[in-house]
Amino acid sequence: MSNILVIAEHLDGKLNGATARAVSAAAAVKPESIDVLVLSDAPDAVAAEAAKIDGVSKVLTVARAENAHPLAAVLAPQVAKAAAGYTHVFAPSTTFGKDLAPRVAALLGVGQVSDVITVESSHVFTRPIYAGNAIITVEAPASQMVVATIRTASWPAAGSSGSAPIEALAVDVALPSHTRFVELKQGKSDRPDLQGAAKVVSGGRGVGSKENFDIIYKFADRIGAAVGASRAAVDAGYVPNELQVGQTGKIIAPELYMAVGISGAIQHLTGIKDAGTIVAINKDGEAPIFEIADIGLVGDLFKILPELEAALG
Ligand code: FAD
């Protein structure tokens, strides 16, 4: 029987929605128990949120001053120690999880299963390869603990009507001092978070400049969407790197994705594989984005977006 430890991702005292998605993947293993581990200097608020996730057996908290900021080098030894007795350790395949899980796997002396999109059995999983062009089946050794990252876009968030008990855990392990927190730089925005937004409007090289990107922001605000971008738009300096969608950016699964002035390169499409309705606006009717778009509008984005906005009333 399996017992799974899911590592909670959180920031500023709030649980990240990626955690509930990782719990869904854990539930697919049909384990005996799913525990969530919250590492923080003050874990109470996050633990209370985690306790509500459906399917969680209990929430374990490790309160240490060193956990005030999520440094993988500092968290990994604690996770490895807390993992004793579990058959699986799951983390979301976000920047946080991708940073942390390999260190945990290395400390436990096992290989990591990355980017799980389906669970076939307790030790057999599938994951995308070649920018999502192929799906590979991966079998982890049954004799070893499984450390895996979960592709959050492929899993729905577990519900939030649970009431799991919360227990404090003392993890007696020496922490490294070679890595220290200096500063967190993050863009401040009132728009929805790109990773979890239900609607996303993305702009590409076709938008033409940083100033022109205002048309994307304006339209996104009009429909309450997050803003994304292609790598070409990021590389050209139109928008910050954190807005990049795709293979080397964010993998997202919004209900509505609007690709504006984006050609539809495979590396971009891999980031929106699980999106609901895809709308493409491009002046080139032959652009590959139209092959996957549910709704395609061929024309100049600077004409179409204002028209759409006007039609919204
Ligand atoms: P382009 O391909 O230049 O397309 C611009 C489009 O805008 C064109 O189709 C054009 O017809 C249209 N257009 C121009 N003007 C207008 C207008 N006025 N109105 C309407 N349409 C207009 N890319 C990503 O996006 N995300 C990634 O994570 C990513 N990772 C990569 C990883 C690797 C290893 C590599 C090699 C590449 C990666 N890329 C990634 C880059 C990718 O291959 C493409 O170069 C990039 O996605 C192209 O961006 P784009 O569609 O904005 O630009």
Side-chain angles (χ1 to χ4, degrees), residues 203-207 229-233 244-249 261-265 267-268 281-284 287 299-302:
R205 201 196 316 261
V207 177
S230 70
R231 177 160 159 180
Q244 185 177 318
V245 172
Q247 185 186 342
T248 43
I262 292 178
S263 60
Q267 296 89 354
H268 187 80
I281 302 175
N282 199 302
K283 67 179 181 186
D284 174 9
D300 186 346
L301 71 94
F302 297 103

Side-chain angles (χ1 to χ4, degrees), residues 179-220:
T179 305
R180 69 194 164 82
F181 176 79
V182 176
E183 159 186 32
L184 173 67
K185 281 195 181 171
Q186 58 180 156
K188 283 262 170 285
S189 165
D190 293 334
R191 294 190 182 89
D193 175 48
L194 174 58
Q195 193 96 55
K199 298 179 219 164
V200 174
V201 181
S202 278
R205 201 196 316 261
V207 177
S209 71
K210 193 174 176 181
E211 293 68 37
N212 286 355
F213 231 84
D214 278 347
I215 195 168
I216 303 290
Y217 288 121
K218 197 161 159 263
F219 189 78

Side-chain angles (χ1 to χ4, degrees), residues 30-302:
K30 299 193 176 55
E32 208 165 283
S33 66
I34 302 172
D35 296 348
V36 174
L37 179 64
V38 180
L39 300 146
S40 171
D41 56 338
D44 292 357
V46 174
E49 276 190 81
K52 290 190 189 137
I53 302 175
D54 290 346
V56 171
S57 314
K58 67 176 178 239
V59 177
L60 301 168
T61 59
V62 178
R64 284 180 81 145
E66 297 93 329
N67 294 342
H69 304 286
L71 293 178
V74 171
L75 302 186
Q78 301 174 69
V79 175
K81 188 88 187 225
Y86 288 92
T87 54
H88 298 63
V89 176
F90 281 5
S93 190
T94 53
T95 307
F96 167 79
K98 287 191 214 177
D99 195 19
L100 176 62
R103 285 178 182 267
V104 173
L107 287 169
L108 293 170
V110 300
Q112 179 188 293
V113 181
S114 305
D115 250 352
V116 168
I117 58 169
T118 67
V119 170
E120 303 299 307
S121 72
S122 64
H123 287 74
V124 181
F125 309 92
T126 65
R127 59 159 301 197
I129 56 168
Y130 301 125
N133 278 328
I135 306 296
I136 190 169
T137 302
V138 182
E139 182 164 2
S143 58
Q144 292 180 357
M145 194 184 294
V146 176
V147 175
T149 59
I150 307 302
R151 183 173 278 215
T152 49
S154 299
W155 296 91
S160 56
S161 55
S163 56
I166 301 172
E167 276 176 28
L169 186 70
V171 178
D172 183 19
V173 61
L175 300 181
S177 55
H178 53 64
T179 305
R180 69 194 164 82
F181 176 79
V182 176
E183 159 186 32
L184 173 67
K185 281 195 181 171
Q186 58 180 156
K188 283 262 170 285
S189 165
D190 293 334
R191 294 190 182 89
D193 175 48
L194 174 58
Q195 193 96 55
K199 298 179 219 164
V200 174
V201 181
S202 278
R205 201 196 316 261
V207 177
S209 71
K210 193 174 176 181
E211 293 68 37
N212 286 355
F213 231 84
D214 278 347
I215 195 168
I216 303 290
Y217 288 121
K218 197 161 159 263
F219 189 78
D221 288 346
R222 183 69 183 76
I223 63 166
V227 170
S230 70
R231 177 160 159 180
V234 170
D235 288 349
Y238 302 170
V239 289
N241 175 274
E242 72 223 33
L243 297 193
Q244 185 177 318
V245 172
Q247 185 186 342
T248 43
K250 299 219 162 73
I251 311 280
I252 56 173
E255 286 157 30
L256 171 70
Y257 186 75
M258 293 185 66
V260 183
I262 292 178
S263 60
I266 184 68
Q267 296 89 354
H268 187 80
L269 301 186
T270 195
I272 54 167
K273 191 179 83 42
D274 294 301
T277 302
I278 297 176
V279 177
I281 302 175
N282 199 302
K283 67 179 181 186
D284 174 9
E286 302 290 312
I289 190 80
F290 289 123
E291 287 167 27
I292 60 117
D294 300 287
I295 300 168
L297 297 169
V298 181
D300 186 346
L301 71 94
F302 297 103

